[in-house]
Amino acid sequence: MRTMSRPVGLPVLAESDLVRQVARRLTDAIVQGRLPPGAKVAEAAVARELGISRAPVREAARLLESQGLLEASPRRGFFVRELSARDVDELYALRLCVERHAAVEAARRLTPEARDALRRQLDLMRDLARRDDPATIVEADYQFHRLICEAAGNARLLRLFDGLASELRIVIGLIGHLYDDPDEIARTHEPVLAAIEAGHPERIVAHVDHHIGVARREVVRLLEGLAPQSPASHSQTPESP
Amino acid sequence: MRTMSRPVGLPVLAESDLVRQVARRLTDAIVQGRLPPGAKVAEAAVARELGISRAPVREAARLLESQGLLEASPRRGFFVRELSARDVDELYALRLCVERHAAVEAARRLTPEARDALRRQLDLMRDLARRDDPATIVEADYQFHRLICEAAGNARLLRLFDGLASELRIVIGLIGHLYDDPDEIARTHEPVLAAIEAGHPERIVAHVDHHIGVARREVVRLLEGLAPQSPASHSQTPESP
DNA sequence: CAAGCCAAAAGTGTCGACAATCGACGCCTA
DNA sequence: TAGGCGTCGATTGTCGACACTTTTGGCTTG
């Protein structure tokens, strides 16, 4: 049994976990665009660069594969996932599905703390919008949506959201600044939070649908213009509420 | 070069990928209950038993960890995930969210092939229900729901469903036969398919809600009765029925 | 007899190595 | 010159080994 005789001196730093560190480094490199879609991730090269052996790199790569960031091609190695416009559209469809649920749940069990956190995040976004720092705004945007999922009180929902978001980050990083009008980001998020605070499920769904639908169409459009290589019929008709 | 005269004749060559095989074996062992929740999965033991080295086992374990089947405890190894009643409830909440969306989408773009596949699966379940083979019925049940997600035409949705389902399988395997009345399984699924065929979103959502809600309450109730929030995890040993 | 401590055993985290396989380059042949 | 074939280098898949950590079992001690 756990005697736990040791004093409180163990801050569980556990730096021995190379896998997590490598996974993080690779993830950063991908979302920052230093490893563009399609790029090969050679185990030996990564291991050499980090001064470690290949084993942790392999395991980290498997982790990222399961998250959809990398793609494993047997006997050929790992590659940064390439997302077609259709892929992104699929991801947004799921985000919509997940965030609808999250927002409604968040409203049902909204604590004052969660409410304040959302308000603060919105203020932060307004602030950042004035300074026009694309990368930071995208991060704040992500955090706002993540806070909603947190407020829903379902740990798996949050994990699910993180998974979808991390896949989307592959392309978000490429696109750069998504919002032309710096105030738009606050204008589009404000009604969502207001609806959650008001607690009307229909209004919540409507506003979430609108907000994510706008982003969805925007990103898909940008992506289609960027890589018009796949004219495969992805005519995903917008879902009607 | 486009000397690729043969379009598609792919015999799907034998997978020499040990990692996938190990992952599959471990998954089977978990869902069949041979590796009960909380059980330690020792790399060396697994490697010995399979006659391979530890490296592929480690990678497979990481894979299963990302799927939520295993839990990694640094410096201590991998353990089969223990699901509380709350965990299962969370999973069902997400299943509901996902399957609602899947069913509505499936109805919107229902092809005759998908419709037939669903019909056949329902017939199969009716057939199996008469023979009373719990494990097979659970599998057929799973396949029915999976077919709906397939029909939704969103590959990621399917992956998502598989992830949720695989986590749930940890406990489904323990519970054994979920349905007391052998005909119930057909009775509860029939209206869902009928609603999808009819194509009325409200009816679809209502029936999916009802069907999954029933299963959810049932499983959560069973699980709460089975393990009344006991933190004494190790010596559970429910191997002998 | 219980609790605590110490040593041995088992297991993980990481490494370097080796064979098998893939892609590329160059050579040979029409 | 174009296309097919064999060889070479590079990379992956897998293995065995080693250091360090955790666990276990016994032994001492109160």
Side-chain angles (χ1 to χ4, degrees):
Chain A
M1 294 313 171
R2 57 171 57 162
T3 50
M4 201 59 80
S5 61
R6 205 167 314 169
V8 201
L10 66 159
V12 197
L13 209 50
E15 282 297 316
S16 67
D17 205 349
L18 278 183
V19 176
R20 312 277 176 193
Q21 291 184 3
V22 176
R24 178 145 208 171
R25 293 248 193 159
L26 286 177
T27 302
D28 287 347
I30 292 171
V31 304
Q32 290 171 14
R34 297 205 313 274
L35 280 174
K40 178 172 173 57
V41 179
E43 301 170 10
V46 175
R48 225 179 300 124
E49 186 167 341
L50 298 180
I52 60 178
S53 81
R54 280 171 46 218
V57 177
R58 274 182 73 86
E59 293 183 30
R62 290 253 176 238
L63 210 66
L64 268 59
E65 179 200 4
S66 73
Q67 290 177 12
L69 288 181
L70 293 183
E71 195 171 1
S73 179
R75 291 282 172 198
R76 289 172 24 89
F78 293 91
F79 299 83
V80 178
R81 188 79 182 272
E82 292 187 270
L83 294 184
S84 65
R86 163 156 191 171
D87 286 314
V88 175
D89 195 62
E90 282 189 8
L91 284 168
Y92 267 104
L94 292 184
R95 251 193 82 171
L96 191 55
C97 173
V98 166
E99 292 204 43
R100 264 186 200 160
H101 178 74
V104 172
E105 275 305 299
R108 276 207 326 128
R109 59 177 76 189
L110 190 65
T111 64
E113 295 77 26
R115 200 199 79 101
D116 290 349
L118 282 167
R119 274 282 158 212
R120 277 198 303 274
Q121 189 66 24
L122 197 58
D123 291 340
L124 174 65
M125 286 159 72
R126 279 206 189 85
D127 213 48
L128 291 173
R130 281 189 216 104
R131 303 184 194 177
D132 193 27
D133 180 350
T136 315
I137 290 180
V138 168
E139 178 64 25
D141 187 349
Y142 163 70
Q143 279 299 335
F144 179 79
H145 289 267
R146 195 171 189 279
L147 280 174
I148 293 178
C149 293
E150 259 187 62
N154 185 327
R156 271 172 192 76
L157 177 80
L158 193 59
R159 249 185 52 188
L160 211 151
F161 172 80
D162 282 338
L164 296 176
S166 77
E167 267 195 84
L168 278 173
R169 281 177 161 198
I170 298 180
V171 292
I172 296 290
L174 279 185
I175 290 173
H177 50 287
L178 175 60
Y179 301 93
D180 300 329
D181 180 358
D183 285 332
E184 187 182 349
I185 190 168
R187 272 207 313 275
T188 55
H189 287 79
E190 167 66 37
V192 172
L193 177 50
I196 289 178
E197 288 175 341
H200 287 176
E202 308 82 30
R203 277 180 55 194
I204 294 172
V205 169
H207 281 297
V208 170
D209 280 14
H210 177 260
H211 169 41
I212 297 189
V214 167
R216 176 183 187 175
R217 281 187 292 276
E218 190 74 9
V219 172
V220 169
R221 191 179 59 78
L222 277 172
L223 214 65
E224 275 176 339
L226 214 67
Q229 52 104 10
S230 169
S233 63
H234 64 347
S235 55
Q236 182 105 351
T237 48
E239 31 218 286
S240 47
Chain B
M1 299 311 182
R2 54 183 54 197
T3 50
M4 194 67 77
S5 59
R6 197 80 60 87
V8 180
L10 66 159
V12 187
L13 51 96
E15 248 189 314
S16 67
D17 202 344
L18 274 185
V19 175
R20 312 278 176 191
Q21 292 183 12
V22 175
R24 179 147 208 169
R25 294 248 193 159
L26 286 178
T27 302
D28 287 346
I30 292 171
V31 304
Q32 290 170 14
R34 295 204 314 273
L35 281 175
K40 178 169 173 58
V41 178
E43 301 169 8
V46 175
R48 255 199 314 273
E49 187 167 342
L50 297 180
I52 59 178
S53 82
R54 280 172 45 217
V57 177
R58 274 182 73 86
E59 292 182 32
R62 291 254 177 235
L63 210 66
L64 267 58
E65 180 201 3
S66 74
Q67 289 177 11
L69 288 181
L70 294 183
E71 196 171 0
S73 179
R75 291 280 174 199
R76 289 173 22 93
F78 292 92
F79 300 83
V80 178
R81 188 80 182 272
E82 291 187 272
L83 293 185
S84 66
R86 165 160 191 170
D87 286 314
V88 175
D89 195 60
E90 282 189 9
L91 284 168
Y92 267 103
L94 293 184
R95 249 193 83 171
L96 191 56
C97 172
V98 167
E99 292 203 43
R100 262 187 201 159
H101 178 75
V104 172
E105 275 304 300
R108 281 208 323 129
R109 59 176 72 191
L110 191 65
T111 65
E113 294 78 25
R115 200 199 79 100
D116 291 348
L118 282 168
R119 273 283 159 212
R120 276 197 304 273
Q121 189 66 24
L122 197 57
D123 291 340
L124 174 65
M125 286 160 70
R126 278 208 190 83
D127 215 46
L128 291 173
R130 280 190 217 102
R131 302 185 195 176
D132 192 28
D133 180 350
T136 315
I137 290 179
V138 168
E139 178 64 25
D141 187 349
Y142 163 70
Q143 278 299 336
F144 179 79
H145 289 267
R146 195 172 189 279
L147 280 174
I148 293 177
C149 293
E150 258 188 64
N154 184 327
R156 271 171 193 77
L157 178 80
L158 193 60
R159 248 184 53 187
L160 210 151
F161 172 80
D162 282 338
L164 296 177
S166 76
E167 267 196 84
L168 278 173
R169 282 176 163 198
I170 298 179
V171 292
I172 295 292
L174 280 185
I175 290 173
H177 51 288
L178 176 59
Y179 300 94
D180 301 328
D181 180 358
D183 284 334
E184 188 183 346
I185 191 170
R187 272 206 312 275
T188 55
H189 288 79
E190 167 65 38
V192 172
L193 179 49
I196 289 177
E197 288 175 342
H200 288 176
E202 307 84 28
R203 277 179 56 193
I204 293 173
V205 169
H207 282 297
V208 170
D209 280 14
H210 177 261
H211 170 41
I212 296 188
V214 167
R216 176 185 188 173
R217 281 187 292 275
E218 190 74 9
V219 172
V220 169
R221 191 179 59 77
L222 277 172
L223 213 65
E224 275 174 341
L226 211 69
Q229 201 237 350
S230 164
S233 49
H234 298 68
S235 57
Q236 194 144 343
T237 58
E239 24 194 338
S240 56

